[in-house]
Amino acid sequence: MAKLIFRYGAMDASKTANALMVRFNYYERGMHAVVLKPGMENRDGDNIIKSRIGLSAECESVESFLEERTPDFKDADEIDCIIIDEAQFLSVAQVDQFAWIVDNLNIPVICYGLRTDFLGKAFPGSARLLELADNLEEVPTICWCGHKARFQARVCNGKMVTEGEQVALGGNDMYVSLCRKHFMNGEIGPAFLK
Ligand SMILES: [Zn+2]
C-alpha cells in the first residue's frame, strides 16, 4: 500500500535537500521519482528545485503534471514515487488529488513543506496534508536558543513582521526559524540585536 507522507519543518530545515536525496535513492535503484512543485513557487526559476547546500534537480509544476495526466493517468506504471517540494503552496483540491493518486494508482507521494506561515497559521495545503497524510514526519531545525524551531518569523529591517500577505516572495523580507516561545514572544535572536 502506497502512502501519502507529509514531511514538514520550519525554514532552513533542509527539506529540499532531503527531497533530492529521496529522488537520488530512487534513481540509484533504477526507479523513477517525479519531482514537482506548485507553480507559484518560482524563487529558483520555473523548472528547478534547489537546496541551500547546492543540490538541485529539474522538476515539473504540480499544475502541468496534474493537467497532463488526469483523468486517465496512462503513464502511472512508469512512476515509482512523486516528490513535492514547497507543498504548503498546494491547494486543498490538489492535496485531495494526490491522495487519490496514492489510493487508486498505488504511487507513494512524499510532500515537503512548511506547516505554518509567518503568523503561525497553517497554510491551507499544509492543513489538508495534516488531515489526510498517512505519515507525518517532522524535519527538525533549531532556534537560536538551541530548542527545536517549529515556526518562522518574517523579519524586515531587523524587526519581526506581524501582519501582511501569507505569501511575500521576493522583497527584502527574510525569515528566521524560531521555537514557539521565541516566536510567540517576538524574540528573533541575538543576531538581530545591534
Ligand atoms: Zn528559542
Side-chain angles (χ1 to χ4, degrees):
M1 275 288 286
K3 284 183 175 174
L4 176 62
I5 298 171
F6 184 29
R7 294 190 177 144
Y8 61 91
M11 282 196 169
D12 302 340
S14 310
K15 295 185 296 299
T16 301
N18 192 315
L20 291 170
M21 282 305 299
V22 170
R23 171 182 174 273
F24 180 76
N25 288 339
Y26 272 91
Y27 275 93
E28 214 177 24
R29 288 163 180 76
M31 297 165 89
H32 182 48
V34 178
V35 179
L36 306 177
K37 72 177 175 181
M40 62 178 297
E41 165 53 42
N42 58 6
R43 170 179 61 185
D44 300 318
D46 275 334
N47 297 311
I48 200 150
I49 65 168
K50 206 188 269 178
S51 75
R52 287 175 303 128
I53 57 167
L55 299 170
S56 65
E58 284 195 13
C59 66
E60 277 182 67
S61 87
V62 165
E63 289 75 13
S64 67
F65 177 85
L66 291 174
E67 204 169 290
E68 280 168 25
R69 288 170 181 80
T70 44
D72 49 359
F73 260 91
K74 282 195 205 77
D75 61 351
D77 292 348
E78 294 161 24
I79 300 174
D80 295 301
C81 180
I82 296 170
I83 299 167
I84 305 174
D85 198 28
E86 305 288 359
Q88 71 274 8
F89 295 135
L90 291 170
S91 68
V92 169
Q94 287 169 340
V95 175
D96 288 1
Q97 278 178 286
F98 285 110
W100 184 91
I101 288 170
V102 171
D103 294 338
N104 295 279
L105 304 177
N106 204 35
I107 301 172
V109 175
I110 308 174
C111 299
Y112 290 87
L114 302 170
R115 193 173 56 157
T116 54
D117 66 12
F118 74 104
L119 298 173
K121 307 284 188 197
F123 285 92
S126 306
R128 193 61 178 150
L129 283 165
L130 291 166
E131 289 163 351
L132 292 189
D134 297 292
N135 292 8
L136 299 171
E137 298 169 9
E138 187 165 27
V139 184
T141 190
I142 54 169
C143 179
W144 56 266
C145 70
H147 287 123
K148 196 181 275 188
R150 292 214 166 95
F151 297 89
Q152 53 278 318
R154 184 182 290 169
V155 175
C156 189
N157 299 323
K159 293 264 184 325
M160 184 165 158
V161 180
T162 54
E163 56 186 20
E165 297 294 314
Q166 189 169 53
V167 182
L169 296 175
N172 293 321
D173 296 341
M174 55 173 295
Y175 291 88
V176 180
S177 297
L178 298 172
C179 69
R180 186 178 60 214
K181 175 183 169 183
H182 289 131
F183 178 76
M184 302 294 262
N185 291 349
E187 295 171 291
I188 53 179
F192 293 94
L193 297 174
K194 291 194 186 97

